[in-house]
Amino acid sequence: MTAPTRTMGPLVAAWKQGFHLATAGSGSYAKGLNLHRNGAVGQVHAAPGRLSAAVAAKKATHKAALHFPELAEDRWHALADRLAGDPQASADLLAGRVPAAVADPGHAGGTAVVPAADEITFSCSCLPGSAGRVCDHSAALGHAVAERLASAASLLLAARGMPTRVLAAVLRDRMSDAGPGALPADPAGTVRADQTYSLWAHRGPSPEPVIELDPAVPVTSTITDPPPPCPSARDLAWMTKDAAARARALLDGTADQPHDTLADTVRILATPDGVSRLPQAARSSGHSAGTLRTMMIGYRHGGPAGAHAALRATPTPPSVLERARDSIRASRALVLGDLDTADGALTDTTAGIQLRPGPDGRWYPFTLAGGQWRPAPGCSDDPASAYQAARRARAARPTAR
């Protein structure tokens, strides 16, 4: 889609005319044009009541400035009132762009943003400019301003006493009590998406809708068992409840880490109603019921990553295991014996403690019980903290070896 043209042509033309008349036919007008065309004018700076820039001459660089009065506050408010009634101009201004409507006093509430010729005065660090007369350098600045207004009209707004962002804030206050109007379409019948977004992103807050709901009756309480091989009505009710709980957690921002198929199976088994599904889960997953029970404990302690750590240690570079072992030694958590790094885990056979790296980068503690490694609470990014957690869990059952 071709965006409608936003032109500052009237603003530039008005500036050129006022600036030309302000030079009063001085020969510096033409000399300044040559300086500008040769790139002598540096960056133009705007401050309340003035535009200034450094202008390079043959032997020196001078500081030239154009001066004119700031607009009165009532003029700015008149401009904001006029722009508030123009949806397209409002959209541009709220998006940080100067709307083309400010270029024409007839469309800007009678506010002339461009100063009149008799309001423009000149100054420069050169000898003629220091006397308040137009010089080659201040004339060059005037020509540079005319060129830059075509793409940076905000310069003039700032110099007249109200930067674009301040005018946008005034306009936003005007629109806070009323909804914005509709954007006009271009000849092709299209509307600019960026303007529509700017307009509606700054609208006032909408009142909360009043919604009256009839008492809800769970659909799952009325269904009967579908024909095989579909799940039973009881299972369908459970799955619906589970899906609703997970959706609520996502909306509240409290959802667990992403689950793969095995971790989701363990998640279901770890629920109060899940144990009855253990034989079926063992058949479908290929893992024994004992392995799944261990993973259920790991899940309760560390979520899906804890379940996978209970199944096996995540492959980890030997250098990472060595650094973890050094960290535990440095913390003086290791009292007796030493840590073995076999099978991708850190194992203290003397204390009956093992740390396994999980798929999330954390360390998961295990303790030896009945000849099997059982997950313990206290997984951590810090291997020394995870080792201390394993020692606490081990101390809670000192005879379990």
Side-chain angles (χ1 to χ4, degrees):
M1 179 182 74
T2 302
T5 303
R6 296 171 54 258
T7 175
M8 289 293 131
L11 189 76
V12 175
W15 171 262
K16 286 182 177 180
Q17 181 180 21
F19 164 62
H20 190 192
L21 292 175
T23 61
S26 170
S28 291
Y29 180 86
K31 294 178 181 179
L33 180 59
N34 288 330
L35 281 174
H36 164 60
R37 288 174 174 173
N38 290 329
V41 182
Q43 183 177 356
V44 178
H45 300 278
R50 62 181 275 145
L51 293 167
S52 61
V55 182
K58 290 183 179 180
K59 297 182 179 180
T61 297
H62 296 283
K63 296 180 180 178
L66 305 175
H67 307 267
F68 34 80
E70 299 177 48
L71 282 175
E73 185 175 354
D74 63 322
R75 290 291 82 209
W76 287 117
H77 286 288
L79 175 59
D81 289 338
R82 178 64 185 84
L83 295 178
D86 183 338
Q88 186 166 332
S90 299
D92 279 335
L93 188 58
L94 291 174
R97 299 185 295 264
V98 178
V102 305
D104 183 1
H107 291 84
T111 301
V113 176
V114 177
D118 57 2
E119 293 180 314
I120 301 175
T121 58
F122 306 88
S123 68
C124 185
S125 59
C126 70
L127 186 59
S130 62
R133 300 192 303 271
V134 62
C135 63
D136 298 352
H137 317 108
S138 56
L141 173 59
H143 288 293
V145 170
E147 180 182 271
R148 293 173 198 186
L149 285 182
S151 58
S154 55
L155 276 173
L156 192 54
L157 291 183
R160 291 289 259 170
M162 186 165 288
T164 305
R165 58 180 175 80
V166 178
L167 182 58
V170 174
L171 176 64
R172 196 176 295 116
D173 291 339
R174 294 289 193 280
M175 298 172 59
S176 61
D177 298 328
L183 280 168
D186 64 12
T190 56
V191 176
R192 285 181 56 170
D194 61 337
Q195 288 184 329
T196 303
Y197 174 80
S198 299
L199 196 61
W200 285 98
H202 294 85
R203 70 189 187 277
S206 302
E208 290 290 334
V210 178
I211 303 176
E212 297 182 1
L213 298 176
D214 295 330
V217 177
V219 175
T220 54
S221 65
T222 62
I223 62 175
T224 57
D225 286 344
C230 298
S232 67
R234 180 171 176 268
D235 286 342
L236 286 174
W238 182 88
M239 286 188 285
T240 302
K241 182 180 178 180
D242 179 68
R246 297 185 70 184
R248 187 179 301 111
L250 287 170
L251 291 173
D252 294 341
T254 58
D256 291 330
Q257 307 165 34
H259 291 60
D260 57 18
T261 302
L262 180 58
D264 201 49
T265 300
V266 175
R267 178 188 68 81
I268 294 172
L269 294 175
T271 62
D273 298 328
V275 179
S276 62
R277 297 175 170 82
L278 188 58
Q280 182 182 355
R283 289 193 300 271
S284 61
S285 68
H287 296 285
S288 68
T291 298
L292 290 176
R293 287 183 184 275
T294 302
M295 294 182 70
M296 288 162 57
I297 300 172
Y299 186 91
R300 293 190 180 107
H301 292 326
H308 280 288
L311 181 62
R312 66 176 64 88
T314 299
T316 304
S319 59
V320 175
L321 294 172
E322 293 291 341
R323 286 198 298 270
R325 180 167 63 180
D326 293 342
S327 175
I328 295 171
R329 287 171 175 168
S331 71
R332 298 188 178 182
L334 188 64
V335 179
L336 298 172
D338 201 359
L339 292 170
D340 183 17
T341 59
D343 301 323
L346 295 174
T347 305
D348 183 349
T349 54
T350 301
I353 288 173
Q354 186 176 87
L355 298 185
R356 296 181 187 178
D360 58 352
R362 294 188 295 177
W363 295 90
Y364 288 82
F366 289 76
T367 59
L368 192 62
Q372 305 235 344
W373 291 109
R374 299 296 184 186
C379 60
S380 175
D381 294 327
D382 177 24
S385 297
Y387 186 88
Q388 290 282 17
R391 286 188 60 184
R392 289 191 295 271
R394 188 70 184 83
R397 49 181 183 190
T399 61
R401 283 292 182 98

